[in-house]
Amino acid sequence: MTNRNFSFIGGEWVAGDSEIENRNPSDVSDLIGTYAQAGVDQLESALDAARAAQIQWRSTGIEQRYNALMAIGQEMIARSGELGELLSREEGKPRAEGVGEVYRAGQFFTYYAAETLRQIGDTADSVRDNIEIDIRREPVGVVAIISPWNFPIATASWKIAPALAFGNAVIWKPANLTPASAVAFAEIVEKQDLPRGLFNLVMGSGNAVGQHLVESSKVDAISFTGSVPVGKSIAAAAQNFTKIQLEMGSKNALVVMDDCDLDLAASCALNGAFGSTGQKCTASSRLIVHQNVHDEFVDKLVAGAQAFKVGHALEEGTQIGPVVSAGQLQSNLDYIELGKSEGADLLCGGGRLELATDGYFMQPAVFAGTDNSMRINREEMFAPIACVIKTGSYEEALHCVNDTAFGLTSGIVTRSLSRASHFRRNARTGCVMVNLPTAGTDYHVPFGGRGDSSYGPREQGGYAKEFYTTVKTAYIASGDPT
Ligand code: NDP
């Protein structure tokens, strides 16, 4: 990587006003590099360049758009091994997950490449004589994309790919914890023959450059993924009738019924709760378990949690990497203390692990004896911590699933078709999983939630066009042929 000290603005790599260090959370002695922090003047240049480039791009033929997006996607897929390793080195997820994420990011681009060719509108007859109506979608304009560190390449891709596919310009502010992935991504986009300034990578902190970006009247739409407080502040800051799409936290529940395959239930819970070190907005942090199978399920869960190999993200055999940062680790340990003080039973894990390298390692933790009013069951922890809630009936379990401010995903493990169907219809979440972990979604269908989890139109699949386009209705008098 050659451009790590730069932002990519107006088609040029430019040095920032200052720099930050990027260290490997598996081994803090490993300095990945120093990365630029753009100033507000640079952001302004990016916004102006984006506006000019978008005018050009919106009238660029769809086959050219198709070619550019397809090439970006194919390069990501071809280089998923190398880029996945870089991602894992700076974010901490095991190498296989890093590689899988980059591969998936490539699939978002190849999917939206094809979507450029599917931009078909509607026609209608007017209620007035000799007038035809043409209804089509147009780009919204300049889109600000603010992405988090937990899926640094995939989240950016599921926003940037549709933004470009539907004819918009992009200002991307990545998370400051994962700048290396962002620069590598931008280096791939740079190779395409796009109007200068169509795609801009503005490195910098959320409080400085991010805040200025969301307040700018030069931005037509903002797509954000991250925490609820920042999402709310973005909604409040965007004063200019800016279109907003927010994907935020959650407190996803997996229901384990007494008619289920308990091995399947344990495997769904372990995967959903501890995959990516629990740092997923779709993580199964609440496990609502029927009393008839509670003890047996908990035994399997604890055995599984204790069997995980926690280690350096790039070490062979590692199943759970470190948490992303010292701040996140401290927050996790604070939640362990909070859970104990609330009266939950810590059955395993929850401590910092000292390994061969100096990283932010934590033992996966299971709390039992929790109830849904505890803060550990109400606040997003983003941690390898699962909380078991014992329940007496399906009805009680469903009530508990829905008793939350959030609503991203939920799941049920059961052999009963009627319960599964009832759950699918009555769980108040944007995604529902039956006999599957709450985490793990496809790229060609909508993703999003309800309540404090999401605001604005859905992301991904064909539904993404709601956010990245605006509708124009044209009335055309057919004229008098005589
Ligand atoms: P944030 O919400 O702070 O960060 C997400 C993105 O927003 C980052 O790019 C960040 O930049 C940027 N940002 C921060 N403040 C502003 C602002 N005022 N204006 C514009 N952009 C801003 O999440 P954190 O990374 O701090 O993580 C904290 C918690 O958030 C986690 O523990 C987890 O609970 C939740 N979270 C949820 C995610 C999800 O997928 N639902 C993803 C990530 C976090 P910068 O990196 O420079 O701060």
Side-chain angles (χ1 to χ4, degrees):
M1 199 190 309
T2 51
N3 296 301
R4 65 183 187 202
N5 292 334
F6 301 97
S7 290
F8 185 63
I9 293 173
E12 305 282 343
W13 289 97
V14 293
D17 285 0
S18 58
E19 291 179 355
I20 52 159
E21 281 190 348
N22 180 20
R23 288 187 180 270
N24 179 347
S26 298
D27 176 1
V28 293
S29 70
D30 175 21
L31 177 66
I32 299 165
T34 53
Y35 289 84
Q37 298 290 278
V40 166
D41 290 354
Q42 292 178 327
L43 175 59
E44 286 294 326
S45 317
L47 285 162
D48 293 339
R51 179 66 61 196
Q54 196 270 328
I55 292 167
Q56 207 182 325
W57 184 241
R58 73 181 180 206
S59 53
T60 299
I62 54 175
E63 200 161 75
Q64 198 175 327
R65 287 191 213 169
Y66 170 90
N67 289 338
L69 268 72
M70 187 56 85
I72 293 168
Q74 285 173 338
E75 180 165 347
M76 282 186 176
I77 288 169
R79 294 176 56 200
S80 55
E82 164 210 345
L83 297 178
E85 184 167 320
L86 176 67
L87 193 165
S88 292
R89 188 173 159 215
E90 73 171 352
E91 197 272 351
K93 61 182 67 174
R95 185 200 310 254
E97 289 184 32
V99 173
E101 176 177 340
V102 177
Y103 194 95
R104 171 55 60 91
Q107 290 175 312
F108 280 111
F109 274 93
T110 56
Y111 174 85
Y112 283 108
E115 200 67 13
T116 60
L117 307 180
R118 265 196 293 270
Q119 297 185 39
I120 296 165
D122 290 320
T123 58
D125 288 334
S126 170
V127 292
R128 292 168 279 166
D129 289 345
N130 299 324
I131 295 176
E132 289 176 355
I133 300 173
D134 170 271
I135 304 152
R136 63 175 64 221
R137 290 182 178 270
E138 295 189 347
V140 283
V142 174
V143 181
I145 287 174
I146 300 176
S147 58
W149 46 264
N150 62 331
F151 284 93
I153 292 199
T155 306
S157 295
W158 78 59
K159 295 174 187 294
I160 293 169
L164 296 178
F166 294 116
N168 302 286
V170 167
I171 309 283
W172 177 27
K173 196 219 82 66
N176 243 352
L177 280 170
T178 48
S181 299
V183 170
F185 184 126
E187 287 179 338
I188 293 176
V189 178
E190 182 198 7
K191 292 180 190 166
Q192 299 309 311
D193 183 22
L194 303 175
R196 290 168 75 79
L198 185 74
F199 166 83
N200 302 273
L201 168 66
V202 180
M203 310 287 283
S205 78
N207 289 336
V209 88
Q211 188 69 27
H212 193 86
L213 180 59
V214 299
E215 288 172 353
S216 173
S217 59
K218 296 177 182 173
V219 169
D220 299 301
I222 303 167
S223 182
F224 163 84
T225 298
S227 61
V228 175
V230 174
K232 284 191 174 165
S233 80
I234 287 176
Q239 301 279 336
N240 311 300
F241 299 116
T242 315
K243 204 169 177 182
I244 297 177
Q245 174 181 65
L246 308 172
E247 291 298 338
M248 299 165 287
S250 196
K251 202 68 201 166
N252 311 294
L254 179 74
V255 174
V256 176
M257 288 310 301
D258 56 352
D259 61 3
C260 78
D261 172 342
L262 270 189
D263 288 326
L264 174 67
S267 126
C268 289
L270 289 163
N271 173 313
F274 301 119
S276 297
T277 324
Q279 299 172 142
K280 285 183 183 176
C281 50
T282 52
S284 318
S285 53
R286 293 184 296 151
L287 305 173
I288 303 170
V289 183
H290 195 281
Q291 60 192 11
N292 293 347
V293 291
H294 176 272
D295 293 356
E296 202 183 335
F297 170 80
V298 166
D299 286 348
K300 288 177 188 288
L301 182 70
V302 169
Q306 288 175 326
F308 277 126
K309 182 173 183 301
V310 180
H312 192 296
L314 300 180
E315 209 170 271
E316 198 58 38
T318 291
Q319 293 171 296
I320 297 185
V323 302
V324 72
S325 64
Q328 187 69 48
L329 178 61
Q330 190 53 53
S331 158
N332 298 357
L333 298 175
D334 291 346
Y335 271 115
I336 293 289
E337 290 311 312
L338 175 69
K340 289 197 266 187
S341 73
E342 288 185 302
D345 304 325
L346 182 64
L347 299 185
C348 69
R352 185 171 187 172
L353 270 176
E354 301 293 339
L355 299 179
T357 52
D358 183 11
Y360 307 123
F361 302 107
M362 178 176 169
Q363 300 158 318
V366 175
F367 275 122
T370 78
D371 72 57
N372 204 40
S373 65
M374 293 177 176
R375 279 180 56 199
I376 52 170
N377 280 322
R378 303 209 77 80
E379 298 171 15
E380 183 177 53
M381 297 188 278
F382 235 52
I385 305 174
C387 300
V388 179
I389 302 170
K390 194 191 277 189
T391 183
S393 67
Y394 166 73
E395 289 71 24
E396 201 180 294
L398 178 62
H399 179 266
C400 186
V401 168
N402 290 334
D403 179 16
T404 174
F406 298 107
L408 188 54
T409 72
S410 59
I412 187 166
V413 192
T414 178
R415 286 194 175 97
S416 159
L417 180 61
S418 65
R419 269 201 189 126
S421 304
H422 187 272
F423 186 82
R424 181 164 56 80
R425 287 194 303 272
N426 291 286
R428 281 200 301 271
T429 54
C431 307
V432 179
M433 311 294 179
V434 175
N435 293 324
L436 288 166
T438 58
T441 55
D442 286 0
Y443 58 91
H444 64 305
V445 287
F447 174 72
R450 300 184 187 179
D452 284 359
S453 292
S454 298
Y455 179 79
R458 285 283 184 267
E459 303 205 72
Q460 303 184 21
Y463 283 64
K465 69 164 79 75
E466 284 305 326
F467 179 73
Y468 292 102
T469 65
T470 181
V471 173
K472 177 176 280 176
T473 311
Y475 293 79
I476 307 120
S478 57
D480 185 347
T482 57

